[in-house]
Each structure stands twice: as C-alpha cells, then as structure tokens.
Amino acid sequence: MISRVGLCSRAGRAGLALILFLVVENCFAQEDYYPKLEQTCLDEANSGQYAASLEKARELYAAYQDNITAHILAAYNLINLGRYKDASGYIDASTAIDPSNFSAYFNAAYYYALDGDITMAKKYLLETIKLYDPTYPVKDALDDIRKVGANNNKAV
C-alpha cells in the first residue's frame, strides 16, 4: 500500500509513475492482442488447423460477442470438424449481425447441404452469390466447397 507520505517522496512518485506506466502499457497490449488473435484464427482456418482455430474463435467470441468474424470462423471450423450441428447458433448470429456478409450465408449453405436439405442449401448459396465480394476469387470459393465436402466425407 502506498501512503500519502510515500507519494510525496521522489521514490513514491517514481513508483506511482511506474505503476501507471504498466497499467497503460497493459491496456495497449490487450488492444493489440485481439486483432492478432483474429488474424491467427483466420490463418489457421485457412490452413486446415480447424481445432486450433476454433479455440481462438471461441476466445475472440468470449471477448466480443458481437464480432461477426468470431461467429463465422467458429461456425466454419465446426463445419470442417464434422460438427456442423454445433455451428447453428453461430450461423444464426452471424446472419443477424450482418445480413450482407456472404461468408455467413456460405456457412448456412454448408450447414444445410451437410444436413441433406438441398433446397435450403441452394437458397443460401444463391444468397451468397448475390452478396459475393467480387475481389474474392471464385476458384477459391469452389475449392473451399470441395474441401468442406471432403472434410465431412460428403458431396457438398
């Protein structure tokens, strides 16, 4: 405990300055932590490390429950781990957070295709196409569809 007398001394002020510095530094370090976590989560998902990416997506979700990327990546990882039924809540939340995000609808299309509801899968795939980002290569999207199917031992 720092007393009033201790604060008045030069050493007391230096100690207080050090404590304030550490608090501020910790705040900035955490500010930088979550963007890096999100990028690592995305990189791991893109490289097929779905379990590791899912852990990070859940950590991101715990800190920022309205973060659409956390929802999309959690759903995508669960789908690729063969646990598509567990992805339902994340898919619903991601389409509610941003109804214009094509990745959210891609996950919904995967979900319904894996569940055997081809009509709904087509509906969400069409919605994905309407919202599709023109800078995202179509070849990558097709490769991803094949990969989801292979990871689940099903044609998607």
Side-chain angles (χ1 to χ4, degrees):
M1 179 174 191
I2 300 174
S3 68
R4 286 180 157 214
V5 175
L7 284 176
C8 294
S9 71
R10 182 175 293 168
R13 287 191 303 272
L16 181 61
L18 178 61
I19 290 169
L20 289 174
F21 172 76
L22 292 173
V23 167
V24 169
E25 181 182 19
N26 186 38
C27 290
F28 284 114
Q30 282 197 354
E31 200 173 277
D32 194 38
Y33 175 75
Y34 289 106
K36 286 181 180 178
L37 179 70
E38 183 176 276
Q39 185 59 52
T40 301
C41 181
L42 182 62
D43 293 343
E44 287 176 347
N46 285 332
S47 66
Q49 299 173 50
Y50 305 115
S53 180
L54 178 59
E55 281 183 37
K56 289 170 182 66
R58 286 184 168 158
E59 182 181 346
L60 188 61
Y61 171 78
Y64 301 101
Q65 292 182 0
D66 61 343
N67 181 309
I68 190 167
T69 304
H71 290 278
I72 288 171
L73 286 169
Y76 181 77
N77 289 316
L78 287 165
I79 287 166
N80 278 288
L81 289 168
R83 297 170 44 202
Y84 75 93
K85 291 277 189 184
D86 296 338
S88 177
Y90 292 109
I91 293 168
D92 292 343
S94 62
T95 55
I97 291 169
D98 184 0
S100 66
N101 188 302
F102 79 94
S103 294
Y105 289 96
F106 241 140
N107 281 339
Y110 293 144
Y111 175 91
Y112 285 107
L114 292 168
D115 204 39
D117 189 339
I118 302 307
T119 302
M120 289 298 286
K122 285 180 182 178
K123 173 187 170 194
Y124 281 104
L125 187 57
L126 288 172
E127 196 61 34
T128 300
I129 292 167
K130 287 181 201 172
L131 300 170
Y132 196 72
D133 180 354
T135 64
Y136 188 73
V138 173
K139 181 193 176 307
D140 290 351
L142 295 174
D143 288 345
D144 199 52
I145 291 169
R146 286 185 203 98
K147 182 171 49 174
V148 167
N151 288 339
N152 285 277
N153 298 316
K154 291 185 176 186
V156 177

